[in-house]
Amino acid sequence: MAVPASADVNDYSIGITAPESVGVGDGFTYTVTIDGDPVVKGAVLTATLPEGVVFEAVATGEDSPVAAYEYDPVTRKVSFVLKDLEKPLSSFNFSVTQDENEAKDESSVFDVRIEGSATSTGSVPADTATTRVTGQWGYHATKTFSTLVGSGNREVTYYFNVGGPGPDTNTFTTWAQRLSDVLPAGAEIRGTSAAPGVWTITPAADGGTSAVWQRDGRYGPEASSMTTETAVWLSVYYPPSVFPDGQLPPANTVALEVKDNSGNWRAQTPGNTQVPELGQGSSKKISLDKTIMGESETSTVGNGIWQSSYQVRASYQNSLDAEKLDRLVVTDQYAGNEEFFDHMENYRMAVRFNAVLQADALPFSYEYTTNVRTSWQSFDTSGLDTGTDFLLTTQVEGSQNFQNADGYSQVLNLPAGERITGWRVTVGPGGAMISGGSQVTVTPGFIASYPSLKDGSAAPSTPISNQAVADGVLSSGAVMNQASDEAKVKVVDVVPIITVITAPSAIEVGGTAVYQAKIANLDPAGRSYQDSVMRVVLPAGVFYDPEVGVSAVYEKTPTSGIQVPLEGQGLSVRTESIRVAGVERQVVVFDFKQLESVRSWDSAKDRREPADMFDYNLPVRVLPQAYDPNVSRVTAESWAYTTDQPYSGIEMWFASGYFDQDVHGFSTVLERIAKSTGTSRVLTAGGLLVGKMVRDADKTDWSLSDTVESPGRADWQIYVTNTLPDPLTDVVLFDRLPAPGDGRGSDFQVTFSGPAVANIPGVKIEYSTDATAADNGSWRESPEAATAMRLSLPAIAAGESVTVVAPTTVPEGVRRQAAAINDVKASGLYQGLKRDFVSNQAKILVDSDDPVTPPTVEPPITPPTVEPPITPPTVEPPITPPTVDPGGGTSENPSPSESAVAGELPTTGSAATGMAVMGGILLLLGLATLLLKRRGGHC
């Protein structure tokens, strides 16, 4: 990009403003102003961004002073080439994001500098701004335990971890973590974990033992935990000589400190745990226990919820002699557990080995059965041993993003239509090497299914039992005792429909943008839900663009291969509006005839839900109402649910973060439904922002396009807001109603049906039947038969907004799909210089039952000038104007030209008003009949 050496101007100045503070990781916006003599030509502004800040976007639309820009991420410089500014006082904003967030803490600041190209006098205009970085710490220690089954809870392994509040929480990154624990006097530490981190064991002042673990490395909020759940541990023994049977060991608390980027240690939330009551351990025995969803032996799980699990722990104790176990076999088979396996889909298997087995590093095997292959099948574990936990993903061939998630590096691919129906783990087959104190813990992860995966039958109303067994053979060949235990699970029906919305990072006033709205049915049994709904609540001032229309991102979902419904082919799209905190927001409604499952157990699927959903491009236009200088980001919401009976009243759930309170009341029966949000920064070029919207007069929802009957009525809304730093004076708005030949593609003439209404006082409103611009034609105070409107305001202050609503009439006999297109032109003085502005276009389409099609090339019919205009009887009241939100202030006796600009607006619904409207309609019909007869027509 060529950069001019200097600007052709005597002198000009620039300024840059920035937020006083911003949360770590958050994007934000800089605002630039240019002020100078009457002409600024060829100026280039260069902003040098601070470290940790990345340029994102700038407004370059018709009203923007920016003609082009270039960003160099190496030098962090962004150059803005300005248009020739004959009215030099301008402003624009540009958005930035953050990177390198791990290097930030409370001492971080963002210093930005902007400078312009030298003027003809040699001066270099420049300015700076500073923003503080804010954030939280919010880390916590976690401490859990596992006891050796059959040891009377005396042999305990404590597991430690560090957790954070999660991403998008404005949390600073830690650069070291320190866990400090003190064990009671008499407790024996029998082993410690190796990497990550280092343990330091020393005597404590109270006679106990101090155990301090420290890791020097980065851990930030992007991960929910620092490491895997069993990576950091202490093996502890509570001897009976110090801790008698029936006693609880002291509750144990571990302290956490983290170090920031500047080297300061900070105390964080501690963790604690309590080992159960101590008892007498077994002397020489195999033991097993089974729990589900934590420590419970009975639990309730929901259909399709991610994800459920149960745990089987099997151990070998021997305090009598040194004899070892030849093998330890843990089995959970289909026989006797049929109903359980028919209502669960296995996703993963975690086989974890305690410190004794890890030290011995013994061979092991993993076997499984399926609904198709009922004999034991072997998974290849050659090269693996108990020195490392075995983490296995089970998936249908073609599935995506399950393997390697959460450390599950091994993968078992099953053909489509197969599922796990049993498993068996064998430790140390042959060689008599399993020592006393060994324990294996197997944790299968599964998705519960309310319908049977075998035959579709509903889960029973009572809990389903599952039993596992463990047995083994001693080195002498003697068969050890068989141990068994059961756990029970109740499966309840849940509707697992979710939605995700992806918002553009930045949207520009006056421009277009595209949201991505997604919905998915994740039912594991493959059930479809009829009559399902996704509602997208757009930010204020952002409107669906029906001219472009909704489109599917892909024909079929990428992994599951399900056909994505299209508009008119299983999907209908419509709009409505709601009021949120007193502000109108448009809602785009997606109605699905059938919502098929993308996570049926028998087909490939994607663990990343947003990657395999029904995904739609939602095009929008951004109007001035979207911009608020006091709001850094605007939020779009997507909501989803089903009205399918009998599922509409069933609780919805899948995973945390996908659901919320139905604050808008979209569902008539559920309090919580699926929800997602996406945020964008709003960019504007500054100046006077002018927006235009329309609606059928019988509706309440504003949009960029609407349908009306012929004859019919349409309301047009004008919205104006001043985003300049100072007032705009002598403001004039000109609204020429649609007419054939107006250069905007209109097919028919629209006329005013009543006075326009403004929401602030002091707006002078005039009407014309012949004006084509604000400065020509004849003007009057009456809207009768008028085709143009001129609004005058003394001034619009910085940040002030004005809303005007004008009622109009669509004539009889207009053909179906004929269009009328409207926009607004505006002008005003800024520091004595005139500036011009124009709005977006809004459109109405005729939707008549039996239209008569007049030639569109003919101009509107004009009554002969020799005849006086037909005047309605003076006893009739004026046609009631549409209501708008009052903007404060009152006018006790407003003139027709000020059009009831403030305070109480007329309302409809009384008998007198009904008669008046009927009289007006009859009068207009009479006038239409007279004009048609003069043309030789009929009615």
Side-chain angles (χ1 to χ4, degrees), residues 498 500 518 554 607-613 615 658:
I498 64 170
V500 171
K518 308 179 185 185
Y554 33 67
R607 187 178 187 271
R608 298 180 304 167
E609 294 83 30
D612 200 49
M613 303 174 71
D615 192 351
Y658 279 110

Side-chain angles (χ1 to χ4, degrees), residues 90-356:
S90 301
S91 68
F92 67 92
N93 54 35
F94 65 94
S95 63
V96 296
T97 59
Q98 295 188 45
D99 68 353
E100 301 175 355
N101 296 319
E102 65 276 4
K104 298 167 186 172
D105 55 32
E106 284 102 334
S107 65
S108 302
V109 294
F110 295 146
D111 292 321
V112 65
R113 176 180 173 82
I114 189 167
E115 63 179 42
S117 50
T119 69
S120 55
T121 61
S123 65
V124 178
D127 196 18
T128 60
T130 298
T131 299
R132 292 184 299 103
V133 179
T134 62
Q136 64 162 334
W137 290 97
Y139 293 91
H140 61 274
T142 60
K143 184 175 184 179
T144 60
F145 69 88
S146 176
T147 60
L148 185 71
V149 181
S151 71
N153 299 322
R154 295 187 177 278
E155 296 189 39
V156 182
T157 301
Y158 290 107
Y159 296 102
F160 303 83
N161 212 332
V162 178
D168 303 322
T169 55
N170 299 133
T171 301
F172 291 120
T173 296
T174 70
W175 284 87
Q177 306 81 36
R178 181 188 294 154
L179 296 166
S180 301
D181 201 353
V182 177
L183 297 170
E188 302 173 7
I189 295 179
R190 292 188 167 180
T192 62
S193 58
V198 176
W199 283 102
T200 301
I201 310 299
T202 58
D206 62 358
T209 303
S210 171
V212 177
W213 174 91
Q214 182 169 323
R215 171 181 176 268
D216 294 320
R218 184 174 66 86
Y219 168 56
E222 62 276 1
S224 59
S225 57
M226 178 188 62
T227 186
T228 60
E229 59 191 62
T230 59
V232 182
W233 52 266
L234 284 176
S235 179
V236 178
Y237 178 66
Y238 292 99
S241 59
V242 182
F243 302 94
D245 292 347
Q247 177 179 322
L248 283 173
N252 187 267
T253 298
V254 58
L256 170 65
E257 297 171 279
V258 298
K259 188 166 67 173
D260 66 21
N261 185 55
S262 298
N264 304 305
W265 285 97
R266 299 170 178 273
Q268 300 292 287
T269 305
N272 57 76
T273 192
Q274 175 68 68
V275 174
E277 182 179 292
L278 302 175
Q280 184 175 359
S282 302
S283 54
K284 191 174 185 179
K285 186 179 180 181
I286 290 176
S287 300
L288 180 142
D289 78 347
K290 184 173 186 179
T291 57
I292 188 161
M293 299 300 290
E295 299 300 318
S296 174
E297 293 185 356
T298 302
S299 186
T300 299
V301 298
N303 174 74
I305 290 178
W306 179 271
Q307 71 176 326
S308 305
S309 65
Y310 65 97
Q311 187 178 85
V312 178
R313 296 185 301 161
S315 69
Y316 167 61
Q317 304 99 44
N318 185 0
S319 58
L320 294 181
D321 51 44
E323 187 174 14
K324 296 185 177 183
L325 199 63
D326 179 77
R327 59 186 175 273
L328 176 64
V329 184
V330 188
T331 307
D332 191 354
Q333 62 182 0
Y334 188 69
N337 296 316
E338 296 90 346
E339 196 165 40
F340 177 84
F341 281 105
D342 286 342
H343 284 276
M344 63 89 81
E345 178 189 6
N346 176 259
Y347 269 72
R348 54 175 47 171
M349 295 287 295
V351 183
R352 303 187 185 276
F353 308 103
N354 73 345
V356 174

Side-chain angles (χ1 to χ4, degrees), residues 262-524:
S262 298
N264 304 305
W265 285 97
R266 299 170 178 273
Q268 300 292 287
T269 305
N272 57 76
T273 192
Q274 175 68 68
V275 174
E277 182 179 292
L278 302 175
Q280 184 175 359
S282 302
S283 54
K284 191 174 185 179
K285 186 179 180 181
I286 290 176
S287 300
L288 180 142
D289 78 347
K290 184 173 186 179
T291 57
I292 188 161
M293 299 300 290
E295 299 300 318
S296 174
E297 293 185 356
T298 302
S299 186
T300 299
V301 298
N303 174 74
I305 290 178
W306 179 271
Q307 71 176 326
S308 305
S309 65
Y310 65 97
Q311 187 178 85
V312 178
R313 296 185 301 161
S315 69
Y316 167 61
Q317 304 99 44
N318 185 0
S319 58
L320 294 181
D321 51 44
E323 187 174 14
K324 296 185 177 183
L325 199 63
D326 179 77
R327 59 186 175 273
L328 176 64
V329 184
V330 188
T331 307
D332 191 354
Q333 62 182 0
Y334 188 69
N337 296 316
E338 296 90 346
E339 196 165 40
F340 177 84
F341 281 105
D342 286 342
H343 284 276
M344 63 89 81
E345 178 189 6
N346 176 259
Y347 269 72
R348 54 175 47 171
M349 295 287 295
V351 183
R352 303 187 185 276
F353 308 103
N354 73 345
V356 174
L357 285 175
Q358 287 188 7
D360 289 344
L362 306 178
F364 71 93
S365 66
Y366 173 74
E367 299 167 280
Y368 62 94
T369 60
T370 74
N371 57 317
V372 175
R373 292 173 286 171
T374 57
S375 60
W376 289 111
Q377 308 293 309
S378 295
F379 182 85
D380 184 9
T381 58
S382 58
L384 305 178
D385 57 45
T386 62
T388 304
D389 293 340
F390 175 65
L391 304 180
L392 174 72
T393 292
T394 302
Q395 63 181 26
V396 174
E397 288 177 329
S399 294
Q400 301 293 322
N401 299 303
F402 288 94
Q403 186 180 9
N404 295 320
D406 304 322
Y408 284 73
S409 57
Q410 303 294 327
V411 62
L412 170 61
N413 285 303
L414 296 176
E418 279 197 50
R419 56 185 171 84
I420 296 294
T421 57
W423 55 265
R424 183 165 67 188
V425 175
T426 302
V427 179
M433 295 181 291
I434 302 176
S435 306
S438 296
Q439 179 167 288
V440 58
T441 300
V442 184
T443 307
F446 67 94
I447 302 293
S449 176
Y450 183 73
S452 168
L453 302 181
K454 179 180 181 181
D455 57 22
S457 60
S461 58
T462 56
I464 302 170
S465 176
N466 176 267
Q467 186 177 63
V469 298
D471 50 39
V473 178
L474 290 169
S475 57
S476 62
V479 177
M480 288 288 291
N481 65 292
Q482 185 180 79
S484 65
D485 195 14
E486 70 170 356
K488 296 181 179 180
V489 60
K490 181 178 181 180
V491 182
V492 298
D493 205 2
V494 170
V495 174
I497 292 176
I498 64 170
T499 181
V500 171
I501 188 165
T502 303
S505 60
I507 55 178
E508 180 179 344
V509 171
T512 61
V514 177
Y515 288 84
Q516 279 189 268
K518 308 179 185 185
I519 187 173
N521 166 15
L522 305 178
D523 188 80

Side-chain angles (χ1 to χ4, degrees), residues 709-725:
E709 297 292 327
S710 172
R713 297 176 300 126
D715 295 335
W716 303 84
Q717 183 195 85
I718 303 170
Y719 177 86
V720 181
T721 185
N722 180 13
T723 63
L724 291 165

Side-chain angles (χ1 to χ4, degrees), residues 638-699:
S638 64
W639 301 79
Y641 55 97
T642 186
T643 61
D644 188 5
Q645 296 292 339
Y647 305 112
S648 60
I650 295 176
E651 178 186 4
M652 297 182 66
W653 196 252
F654 169 69
S656 177
Y658 279 110
F659 301 86
D660 206 347
Q661 291 292 120
D662 182 11
V663 295
H664 304 306
F666 290 144
S667 171
T668 59
V669 291
L670 294 176
E671 293 183 358
R672 295 177 65 88
I673 59 177
K675 179 192 177 185
S676 176
T677 61
T679 63
S680 306
R681 278 174 290 283
V682 181
L683 301 180
T684 176
L688 190 71
L689 306 182
V690 187
K692 193 68 182 281
M693 291 189 292
V694 70
R695 69 184 178 191
D696 184 299
D698 293 328
K699 300 178 183 177

